[in-house]
Amino acid sequence: MELEYDGTGYAGWQRQERCMSVQQAVEEAIERLTGQKTVIHASGRTDSSVHALGQVIHFDTDARISGEKFPVALNSFLPKDIRALNAEEVRSEFHARYHAKAKMYRYTIDNARHASALYRNFQMHVHKPLCIEAMQEASDMLIGTHDFAAFQSTGSMKRTTIRTITMSEIKKEGRIITYTTVGNGYLYNMVRIIVGTLIEIGLKQRTVKSMQDALISKNRLLAGSTAPPHGLALIKVYYDDFSL
């Protein structure tokens, strides 16, 4: 099943004891619909206030509801800031996380003097002008297979910090700047640290070369600050033989 959600009111994807998570909200909705307690598995966790346009989940159910009709039925039980978009039955061995081959993330920046009142929960506001050319030159350095140790927050438990990025693109339309990336995996806060570094480069607070220096050094202290979570959204998850 493919989900879209506004992460503003949730403590991230994963279930927590004292705070409402997206996972809990969806599991409770499925239980109300089917009468069965269900554990759902996502392609990956999103942090508090991070959004998704194309999160993919899988779960087992005995409910006699076809895959194509499941989203319509489930949306009647979901809160308005979570929507089921598409669903289909898959083979029993399919796993939303372990079979994912790549993900697309997008970070949105509102580069205007005054922040938007309407989109404040979905865009990071930067009131000083950003140099798009410098940001794109730096983001191009991320394409390929690299050790991204400098772009992970402390506490990450990943076995390896090597990742492959196939898309790293800056675009500007009016006051809105977006950074879009596609990769085979991401470290904890990796996209947000990349964006924080790009913003500092765009503000001329650091050089374009500093992006490459951080990559080579593997030192978190040589990368930029961590951009806030609300500008980030999971756009799409890619699989070899499965597409919603």
PDB file of all heavy atoms in Angstrom, residues 8 44 67 86 114 124 139 153-154 227 232:
ATOM      1  N   THR A   8       3.299  16.582  10.384  1.00  0.00           N
ATOM      2  CA  THR A   8       3.366  17.659  11.371  1.00  0.00           C
ATOM      3  C   THR A   8       2.913  17.223  12.760  1.00  0.00           C
ATOM      4  O   THR A   8       3.554  17.537  13.759  1.00  0.00           O
ATOM      5  CB  THR A   8       2.507  18.856  10.917  1.00  0.00           C
ATOM      6  OG1 THR A   8       2.937  19.283   9.623  1.00  0.00           O
ATOM      7  CG2 THR A   8       2.633  20.016  11.896  1.00  0.00           C
ATOM      8  N   GLY A  44      10.772   2.497   5.219  1.00  0.00           N
ATOM      9  CA  GLY A  44      11.748   3.124   6.102  1.00  0.00           C
ATOM     10  C   GLY A  44      11.042   4.078   7.049  1.00  0.00           C
ATOM     11  O   GLY A  44       9.881   4.445   6.822  1.00  0.00           O
ATOM     12  N   GLY A  67      -7.315  -5.623  -2.978  1.00  0.00           N
ATOM     13  CA  GLY A  67      -6.281  -4.605  -2.862  1.00  0.00           C
ATOM     14  C   GLY A  67      -6.710  -3.262  -3.412  1.00  0.00           C
ATOM     15  O   GLY A  67      -6.477  -2.215  -2.801  1.00  0.00           O
ATOM     16  N   ASN A  86      -2.909   3.864  -3.001  1.00  0.00           N
ATOM     17  CA  ASN A  86      -3.019   2.684  -3.852  1.00  0.00           C
ATOM     18  C   ASN A  86      -2.671   1.446  -3.046  1.00  0.00           C
ATOM     19  O   ASN A  86      -1.940   1.528  -2.059  1.00  0.00           O
ATOM     20  CB  ASN A  86      -2.058   2.765  -5.050  1.00  0.00           C
ATOM     21  CG  ASN A  86      -2.245   4.022  -5.866  1.00  0.00           C
ATOM     22  OD1 ASN A  86      -3.228   4.165  -6.563  1.00  0.00           O
ATOM     23  ND2 ASN A  86      -1.299   4.943  -5.756  1.00  0.00           N
ATOM     24  N   HIS A 114       9.716  37.077   3.569  1.00  0.00           N
ATOM     25  CA  HIS A 114       8.767  36.696   4.614  1.00  0.00           C
ATOM     26  C   HIS A 114       8.308  35.265   4.385  1.00  0.00           C
ATOM     27  O   HIS A 114       8.042  34.848   3.259  1.00  0.00           O
ATOM     28  CB  HIS A 114       7.554  37.633   4.618  1.00  0.00           C
ATOM     29  CG  HIS A 114       7.922  39.073   4.820  1.00  0.00           C
ATOM     30  ND1 HIS A 114       8.402  39.551   6.016  1.00  0.00           N
ATOM     31  CD2 HIS A 114       7.895  40.126   3.960  1.00  0.00           C
ATOM     32  CE1 HIS A 114       8.649  40.851   5.901  1.00  0.00           C
ATOM     33  NE2 HIS A 114       8.360  41.222   4.669  1.00  0.00           N
ATOM     34  N   MET A 124      11.185  25.009   4.644  1.00  0.00           N
ATOM     35  CA  MET A 124      12.116  25.738   5.497  1.00  0.00           C
ATOM     36  C   MET A 124      12.250  27.159   4.969  1.00  0.00           C
ATOM     37  O   MET A 124      12.473  27.361   3.766  1.00  0.00           O
ATOM     38  CB  MET A 124      13.480  25.066   5.506  1.00  0.00           C
ATOM     39  CG  MET A 124      14.517  25.824   6.318  1.00  0.00           C
ATOM     40  SD  MET A 124      16.172  25.130   6.141  1.00  0.00           S
ATOM     41  CE  MET A 124      17.114  26.267   7.154  1.00  0.00           C
ATOM     42  N   SER A 139      26.028  20.109  -5.049  1.00  0.00           N
ATOM     43  CA  SER A 139      25.184  18.911  -5.018  1.00  0.00           C
ATOM     44  C   SER A 139      25.620  17.894  -6.074  1.00  0.00           C
ATOM     45  O   SER A 139      25.443  16.685  -5.881  1.00  0.00           O
ATOM     46  CB  SER A 139      23.706  19.284  -5.209  1.00  0.00           C
ATOM     47  OG  SER A 139      23.434  19.675  -6.533  1.00  0.00           O
ATOM     48  N   SER A 153      23.924  11.711  11.466  1.00  0.00           N
ATOM     49  CA  SER A 153      23.885  12.138  12.863  1.00  0.00           C
ATOM     50  C   SER A 153      24.411  11.028  13.753  1.00  0.00           C
ATOM     51  O   SER A 153      24.388   9.848  13.393  1.00  0.00           O
ATOM     52  CB  SER A 153      22.454  12.485  13.277  1.00  0.00           C
ATOM     53  OG  SER A 153      22.011  13.644  12.619  1.00  0.00           O
ATOM     54  N   THR A 154      24.875  11.394  14.919  1.00  0.00           N
ATOM     55  CA  THR A 154      25.345  10.403  15.871  1.00  0.00           C
ATOM     56  C   THR A 154      24.183   9.502  16.276  1.00  0.00           C
ATOM     57  O   THR A 154      23.026   9.914  16.303  1.00  0.00           O
ATOM     58  CB  THR A 154      25.921  11.083  17.122  1.00  0.00           C
ATOM     59  OG1 THR A 154      24.909  11.939  17.695  1.00  0.00           O
ATOM     60  CG2 THR A 154      27.137  11.906  16.772  1.00  0.00           C
ATOM     61  N   ALA A 227      19.349  20.562   8.596  1.00  0.00           N
ATOM     62  CA  ALA A 227      18.159  21.347   8.265  1.00  0.00           C
ATOM     63  C   ALA A 227      16.957  20.810   9.044  1.00  0.00           C
ATOM     64  O   ALA A 227      16.892  19.620   9.338  1.00  0.00           O
ATOM     65  CB  ALA A 227      17.884  21.288   6.759  1.00  0.00           C
ATOM     66  N   LEU A 232      11.201  18.326   4.627  1.00  0.00           N
ATOM     67  CA  LEU A 232      11.565  17.073   3.965  1.00  0.00           C
ATOM     68  C   LEU A 232      10.343  16.194   3.703  1.00  0.00           C
ATOM     69  O   LEU A 232       9.455  16.085   4.546  1.00  0.00           O
ATOM     70  CB  LEU A 232      12.571  16.304   4.833  1.00  0.00           C
ATOM     71  CG  LEU A 232      13.105  14.985   4.275  1.00  0.00           C
ATOM     72  CD1 LEU A 232      13.879  15.213   2.977  1.00  0.00           C
ATOM     73  CD2 LEU A 232      14.000  14.297   5.320  1.00  0.00           C
TER      74      LEU A 232
END
